[in-house]
Amino acid sequence: MLIVQKFGGTSVGDLERIQNVANRVSESKKAGNDVVVVVSAMSGETNKLVGYAESFSKNPAQPEMDMLLSAGERVTASLLAISLQEMGHSATAMTGRKAGIVTDMNHTKARIEEINPVNMHSALKEGKIVVVAGFQGVNEKGDVTTLGRGGSDLSAVAVAGALKADLCEIYTDVSGIYTTDPRIEPKAKKLDKISYDEMLELASLGAKVLQNRSVEMAKKLNVNLVTRTSFSHEEGTLITKEENIMEAPLVSGIALDRNQARISLMGVKDRPGIASDIFNKLATAEVNVDMIIQNKAHDGTTNIDFTVPVSDLHDAKSVVDSFVKSGEIEADSYNEDICKVSVVGVGMRSHAGVAAKAFSTMAENNININMISTSEIKVSMVIDEKYAELAVRGLHEAYELEK
C-alpha cells in the first residue's frame, strides 16, 4: 500500500515533535507500506522569515520571498529525513523541484500544473521513505515558487494523485471533521466519512480543518483523503466520493463563518448594466462576493445587498464609493456585526423540508434571518453575529446531529 502522509506546522513544531512524526512514519513503513511524507515549516518559522524580510523592505520582491519562505519546509524535510535515517530507515529529503512539482509563473500563490514523479518513484523502488518539502514548486524558468495558504496540503494531495497513492493522510492538531465546531457545541460528533462536495462546502463556509483548494484537487484526482491528529492514534475522517458512502446522512454538518460583512446599496440608478458594472469592478478589485439580494424600490431605483469577507471590505468600499461619487448610488451602509451559519448535507438532494426546518429553528430561537442562499447541498443564512452560537446549537439539535 502506498500512503502519502502530510504533517502540518503544529505537528512538526519543535525537535521533539519532529521525532514523534518520525516514529509515526516508521510505524507505517514497518507495517509494510511505501511512504511519502510531505511536511510544512515548523510552526512560527514562516512568520519569522517574513519578519526578517520586512526588516529590510516593507514590500520585498515576490521571487525573493518565494526563495526565502521555501526554506522553512526544506529545514523540516531535512531534519525528518535525518531522524528517520538515525532510526535505521533509508530516507531521502526532496525539495519541490526534486519531487517534480511544476507550477505556473505566479509567485507567492502559484498553482500546480503538473508533477513528474520520476525521482519519487525511483526512491520508492529502492525502498526509501521519501520526505518532500511542501508548499513549494518550480516554474518553467526554474524559479522557486510557493503555493500560498494551505500549500502543503495541496502539495500532499497533488503528490498522492501523481503517484496514484492508495491514501493521503492529512495530520493536524484536530482529530477529524466534526458535525460542527466542538468549542461551540460540545455534543458535536466526529464523522467517519464525508463526501468531497460536503467538505468543499464546509471548508468554504468557515470550517478551517482543510483548505478548500486541497479538497478540490482531491476530488479532481480522485484521492481518498483522511484528516486525523498527529497527537494520538485515534481514527480520523475519510473524505471520498459520494458513492463510497453507503448511507449518506440528510445533514452532515453545521458551519459558521464570522468573517462576513454586509454591504447595502440604496437608490441604485435603474439603468441596464448597472449591476454588471458594480460587480465587475468588485471582481477586478479581487473582492469575493458571496450572497446577493436585489429589490426594486417604489421610486424606480434598486436596492442591492451583498456580503463579502471582512478582509475584502476595504477594497469593496473603494469600489462602492466611486459609484456613490458618480451619483449612480444614492447611499451605502456597512455592517460587520453579522455571520453566516450554514446547513450542509448531500442528503438534501433527495429530501424535502431541510430548508423549512432551518428557518423554523431560527424562528423558535427568535433569530431574524437577514439573507438566504441555497444550493443542492446547503442552506446558508446571514444573521446578527450575537446569535451565532445560539444558531449553531439550535440547528445541531434540530437535525439530531449528536446521535
Side-chain angles (χ1 to χ4, degrees):
M1 189 172 180
L2 174 55
I3 299 176
V4 174
Q5 298 179 326
K6 182 264 176 179
F7 293 90
T10 54
S11 299
V12 293
D14 54 35
L15 297 182
E16 183 181 351
R17 289 187 175 182
I18 290 174
Q19 184 59 58
N20 289 338
V21 167
N23 295 338
R24 191 84 177 229
V25 174
S26 177
E27 289 174 10
S28 294
K29 182 64 176 175
K30 288 178 178 176
N33 300 306
D34 290 326
V35 185
V36 176
V37 187
V38 177
V39 292
S40 298
M42 298 164 72
S43 56
E45 190 67 20
T46 300
N47 289 340
K48 185 170 74 174
L49 294 172
V50 170
Y52 288 161
E54 290 180 347
S55 68
F56 294 105
S57 170
K58 293 303 178 187
N59 188 29
Q62 290 186 336
E64 280 60 48
M65 285 303 292
D66 275 352
M67 178 74 81
L68 175 67
L69 297 184
S70 66
E73 280 71 17
R74 296 180 190 207
V75 168
T76 310
S78 302
L79 291 173
L80 180 57
I82 291 168
S83 176
L84 287 165
Q85 291 163 3
E86 194 63 22
M87 295 171 70
H89 294 288
S90 179
T92 182
M94 294 187 180
T95 62
R97 180 196 299 269
K98 190 171 182 182
I101 300 173
V102 180
T103 75
D104 60 19
M105 300 301 292
N106 290 316
H107 282 283
T108 73
K109 50 184 176 182
R111 290 188 172 272
I112 296 173
E113 291 193 335
E114 65 172 321
I115 293 184
N116 181 355
V118 60
N119 289 332
M120 290 187 287
H121 274 310
S122 178
L124 288 168
K125 283 180 182 176
E126 294 172 7
K128 293 180 178 178
I129 297 171
V130 178
V131 185
V132 178
F135 177 63
Q136 62 189 262
V138 62
N139 63 28
E140 62 182 22
K141 287 185 176 181
D143 298 327
V144 173
T145 54
T146 61
L147 307 178
R149 192 174 69 84
S152 292
D153 283 357
L154 205 59
S155 301
V157 173
V159 164
L163 293 172
K164 294 182 169 52
D166 298 288
L167 196 62
C168 179
E169 298 178 327
I170 307 290
Y171 287 86
T172 67
D173 52 357
V174 294
S175 57
I177 310 300
Y178 283 77
T179 49
T180 196
D181 188 339
R183 293 169 297 183
I184 296 174
E185 174 51 86
K187 295 177 184 175
K189 186 179 69 173
K190 188 173 67 182
L191 299 168
D192 295 326
K193 295 181 181 180
I194 190 170
S195 71
Y196 295 126
D197 288 339
E198 288 171 310
M199 191 64 240
L200 277 170
E201 290 285 9
L202 290 171
S204 66
L205 294 169
K208 296 179 174 61
V209 177
L210 280 176
Q211 207 258 359
N212 56 0
R213 280 173 68 194
S214 61
V215 183
E216 285 172 1
M217 183 168 283
K219 180 181 179 182
K220 178 182 175 183
L221 301 178
N222 194 25
V223 172
N224 282 322
L225 205 56
V226 171
T227 177
R228 61 196 307 179
T229 179
S230 57
F231 303 120
S232 77
H233 284 75
E234 188 178 348
E235 290 296 321
T237 301
L238 173 66
I239 302 150
T240 186
K241 292 189 292 186
E242 193 175 322
E243 51 263 41
N244 290 343
I245 302 173
M246 294 295 289
E247 294 186 24
L250 178 64
V251 169
S252 292
I254 312 297
L256 175 65
D257 186 358
R258 300 180 191 266
N259 179 35
Q260 291 285 305
R262 178 176 176 171
I263 300 176
S264 300
L265 311 181
M266 286 77 75
V268 181
K269 295 301 181 187
D270 186 18
R271 70 162 174 85
I274 181 65
S276 173
D277 289 347
I278 293 169
F279 289 103
N280 274 328
K281 285 197 174 182
L282 288 167
T284 301
E286 296 189 353
V287 173
N288 183 19
V289 176
D290 186 11
M291 299 185 189
I292 304 172
I293 293 177
Q294 178 173 310
N295 296 307
K296 192 143 188 170
H298 294 300
D299 61 0
T301 62
T302 300
N303 297 328
I304 300 176
D305 286 51
F306 59 96
T307 60
V308 300
V310 171
S311 53
D312 288 354
L313 187 56
H314 179 269
D315 291 335
K317 282 182 177 180
S318 297
V319 172
V320 170
D321 285 347
S322 68
F323 284 92
V324 173
K325 288 175 182 175
S326 71
E328 293 206 282
I329 297 174
E330 289 179 9
D332 56 343
S333 67
Y334 304 90
N335 183 3
E336 295 182 55
D337 296 323
I338 62 164
C339 65
K340 179 171 64 177
V341 62
S342 305
V343 179
V344 177
V346 291
M348 293 185 196
R349 290 185 177 134
S350 54
H351 290 79
V354 176
K357 179 174 283 191
F359 304 151
S360 297
T361 302
M362 295 295 101
E364 289 164 7
N365 286 280
N366 294 314
I367 301 172
N368 189 46
I369 302 172
N370 300 324
M371 302 175 78
I372 298 168
S373 172
T374 64
S375 75
E376 263 193 312
I377 65 168
K378 81 149 191 293
V379 178
S380 291
M381 298 163 286
V382 170
I383 61 174
D384 290 345
E385 203 277 335
K386 63 184 177 181
Y387 297 120
E389 298 191 4
L390 176 62
V392 168
R393 288 191 291 267
L395 290 166
H396 198 271
E397 182 179 0
Y399 293 103
E400 301 180 343
L401 294 180
E402 70 275 8
K403 293 184 178 179

